[in-house]
Amino acid sequence: MRFSRAIKIAPSILSADFANFGAECRAIEAQGADWVHVDVMDGHFVPNLTFGPATCAAIRPHIRGVMDVHLMISPVDAFLESYAKAGADVISAHVEAGPHVHRTMQAIRALGCKAGLCLNPGTGIEAVEYLLDMVDLVNVMTVNPGFGGQKLIHSQIEKVRRLRAMIGDRPIHIEVDGGVTLDTAPLVVAAGADVLVAGSAVFKGGSVDNPAPYGANIAALRAVAEAARH
Ligand code: DX5
Ligand code: ZN
């Protein structure tokens, strides 16, 4: 994974057809997705439960590009190896998931994956300050984790701006996750985000049998995001 701050659209399969994950991953990549965002939820760290390592392993062969695994689970350390073995390229864990986040980032990198740190809306960027040499990505949650289709929490835009300043020219992606739409994508990109996770905004209007809307939605998000860069 060569580092680039070019805009990346990362559809979240939380909004996909749960009966057809493989076909949905193939469809969104064929329609222009840069990364595939995989929302793992345990029903404990967040009030929702999705899927685990076996599902990640099952969809891996259907993803040609980056499999971006977002672990909304606690505890997290004991499960890292199973997601690395499932084929994750990026494993992101929440700073709020446990007491030893530096060790968690070390463990993710030791498994050969890119390390992502997720910040819930109430967590400040000081959580990243002593981890800047340990992470490859910071996921700024712009909704409270657990569900798709929520509204972006606008206070997080200033957090993205401050985080971008803190990161400087380090090869660290800023991913924004939750409530990314045609209206909000320009705001978070202008603040410094380069990876845009979008579930409902990408999957709306389409299906495995009718994936064209996925492509139109991705292209529209990319257009407003690129425009916000200039
Ligand atoms: C929420 C997940 C997000 C969510 C995004 O806990 O982490 O990735 O699926 O969905 P939308 O884009 O619909 O807000
Ligand atoms: Zn996510």
Side-chain angles (χ1 to χ4, degrees):
M1 251 173 85
R2 188 182 59 79
F3 183 80
S4 156
R5 221 176 281 287
I7 297 290
K8 286 160 277 308
I9 307 296
S12 160
I13 62 168
L14 184 66
S15 301
D17 173 357
F18 269 50
N20 288 290
F21 276 139
E24 290 274 50
C25 289
R26 290 198 307 275
I28 53 177
E29 283 199 322
Q31 293 293 329
D34 297 294
W35 291 9
V36 176
H37 186 79
V38 183
D39 281 318
V40 176
M41 300 181 187
D42 65 359
H44 168 247
F45 181 69
V46 292
N48 195 2
L49 191 150
T50 55
F51 39 70
T55 302
C56 292
I59 65 176
R60 177 71 257 190
H62 302 279
I63 298 170
R64 290 194 312 273
V66 172
M67 182 161 138
D68 172 33
V69 175
H70 176 191
L71 296 180
M72 287 163 275
I73 69 174
S74 171
V76 61
D77 292 356
F79 295 93
L80 295 175
E81 187 171 2
S82 56
Y83 287 99
K85 283 188 173 148
D89 296 294
V90 181
I91 298 179
S92 295
H94 274 258
V95 66
E96 306 89 358
H100 303 296
V101 65
H102 185 283
R103 180 186 293 146
T104 302
M105 296 298 116
Q106 268 179 331
I108 293 171
R109 280 188 163 171
L111 288 163
C113 300
K114 296 293 186 188
L117 183 71
C118 305
L119 307 179
N120 278 334
T123 302
I125 61 169
E126 64 280 359
V128 184
E129 202 169 348
Y130 294 96
L131 295 168
L132 288 168
D133 58 344
M134 298 298 299
V135 300
D136 304 292
L137 175 143
V138 178
N139 178 341
V140 176
M141 291 303 298
T142 36
V143 294
N144 287 302
F147 301 93
Q150 301 179 80
K151 291 271 176 264
L152 183 132
I153 300 169
H154 282 249
S155 66
Q156 305 304 296
I157 297 170
E158 182 55 23
K159 186 194 288 186
V160 171
R161 200 182 321 281
R162 290 182 190 167
L163 177 64
R164 184 70 193 85
M166 179 193 274
I167 285 172
D169 59 3
R170 295 178 179 87
I172 299 175
H173 294 292
I174 298 181
E175 182 173 71
V176 164
D177 190 359
V180 174
T181 63
L182 292 181
D183 295 331
T184 58
L187 305 176
V188 297
V189 167
D194 60 291
V195 185
L196 303 181
V197 175
S200 39
V202 167
F203 284 94
K204 71 180 180 196
S207 69
V208 175
D209 302 322
N210 172 35
Y214 299 165
N217 293 336
I218 289 169
L221 278 171
R222 192 184 305 284
V224 296
E226 296 288 0
R229 276 275 171 91
H230 307 306

